[in-house]
Amino acid sequence: MSRQSEFNAASQAYYQAQVDLSQSLVERVASWWRGLSPQRAAEGSPAVVREFQTLVSASRSRSYAEGVNYHQAARKAATGDAGDAGDDDLWESRDTAAEAGKAKVSYYVHTAPLREEMKRGRLDDPDFLKSLDDTMESAGRNLALDAGRLAESGGRDALAEARENDAEVIGWYRMTDTDPCGFCAMLASRGAAYSKFMEPDQFHRGCHCQTLPLFRGVSMPPEDAAKRDEYLARFKATPGSGSSQARAFQEAFDTERKARRDGQSA
């Protein structure tokens, strides 16, 4: 297998591992959420929040390890040298307290509508109970999706640290998921060309896109290069300039994406 083929395979394997890890956590959080009563979920006691933090932390740790392993595999495929797995110059000490804090914030942000709903009605009112169930379901869905984002942040953090500290990294690019939003497609259209106005480490809930490193001796995997070319051509064909062009590109892209998804679900 050529160096390029090894690099392509490592990149695809890492992407799939992150997707699987995130989706698995989303399912586990959703299952855990279904075991909570609306009252207990809305109250958000320290014990409940710790349960959520533990779920997120375990997956985030696995994601971080996947990021470290991928960087080494991609580096070795490109240069023949994986570097030192324990090299403190590449990977910084994780701030687990800050990670736990982000999970706590996520819990309270996504359960805020549930707390407001609990104040609105009476638990002996059938109509209110139906509305409460709907709010509970929505809060749990949003919390689970954000848990998946927090988990994938582990690998994304590991790669961001490595590319900052590894002199072998000559650039990076956005690998999009199978159905990217307009914002992610716009970032992917840049290929390996970024600026302070195009921050590569911005990810939303439900996003499986990745910012991956490039090394001398290898190029972007062909499927990612093809997406870059497609999105760049579309961006250039979008009327306007600067922020207005970027906004028009994203709006048109997202409109088509929504129509496609609505058609698939019909």
Side-chain angles (χ1 to χ4, degrees):
M1 183 181 291
S2 68
R3 287 189 175 186
Q4 184 67 54
S5 295
E6 288 182 17
F7 180 78
N8 298 348
S11 299
Q12 185 57 44
Y14 170 72
Y15 168 81
Q16 192 58 53
Q18 290 292 82
V19 171
D20 292 346
L21 187 150
S22 176
Q23 291 181 340
S24 176
L25 179 61
V26 168
E27 292 171 3
R28 290 200 304 277
V29 170
S31 177
W32 166 77
W33 182 257
R34 287 192 292 269
L36 298 177
S37 67
Q39 295 92 329
R40 189 161 183 247
E43 181 186 41
S45 68
V48 168
V49 174
R50 279 197 300 272
E51 290 174 2
F52 177 68
Q53 288 171 315
T54 298
L55 286 167
V56 172
S57 178
S59 292
R60 186 165 182 150
S61 293
R62 290 196 294 272
S63 175
Y64 190 93
E66 289 283 354
V68 171
N69 292 337
Y70 162 68
H71 184 86
Q72 292 172 321
R75 189 181 198 267
K76 184 176 182 181
T79 69
D81 178 14
D84 184 354
D87 191 345
D88 291 335
D89 291 336
L90 292 187
W91 288 284
E92 303 164 7
S93 297
R94 288 173 56 204
D95 188 343
T96 54
E99 292 177 6
K102 290 177 181 178
K104 182 177 181 179
V105 168
S106 175
Y107 184 91
Y108 286 120
V109 166
H110 293 295
T111 57
L114 181 62
R115 286 189 294 279
E116 289 302 311
E117 183 70 7
M118 288 291 293
K119 300 174 185 176
R120 193 183 65 80
R122 295 168 53 92
L123 294 176
D124 58 356
D125 179 353
D127 290 336
F128 171 68
L129 288 178
K130 174 63 170 62
S131 177
L132 182 62
D133 286 343
D134 292 343
T135 303
M136 180 74 173
E137 182 180 352
S138 176
R141 181 171 58 252
N142 290 333
L143 183 63
L145 285 172
D146 204 40
R149 179 188 65 83
L150 290 171
E152 287 194 68
S153 293
R156 290 165 174 161
D157 286 350
L159 292 184
E161 292 166 9
R163 71 169 178 263
E164 284 290 322
N165 299 317
D166 189 349
E168 294 294 334
V169 176
I170 62 171
W172 52 89
Y173 73 97
R174 183 83 159 208
M175 171 192 272
T176 64
D177 62 23
T178 55
D179 188 22
C181 68
F183 175 76
C184 292
M186 182 179 66
L187 287 181
S189 75
R190 306 299 297 169
Y194 283 94
S195 71
K196 63 182 179 180
F197 304 109
M198 286 280 195
E199 169 56 49
D201 284 320
Q202 297 181 53
F203 306 98
H204 52 80
R205 272 187 301 133
C207 174
H208 297 302
C209 301
Q210 302 293 332
T211 301
L212 302 185
L214 288 171
F215 304 86
R216 290 181 178 83
V218 294
S219 304
M220 290 173 59
E223 59 269 29
D224 298 325
K227 288 182 180 179
R228 173 204 60 199
D229 294 344
E230 174 191 343
Y231 301 151
L232 182 58
R234 178 166 178 166
F235 186 88
K236 289 180 176 179
T238 301
S241 62
S243 61
S244 65
Q245 184 181 27
R247 186 165 54 252
F249 172 87
Q250 291 180 62
E251 289 175 353
F253 199 98
D254 287 337
T255 296
E256 290 184 13
R257 182 181 187 233
K258 184 179 184 303
R260 183 171 62 253
R261 288 185 164 193
D262 290 345
Q264 291 172 347
S265 61

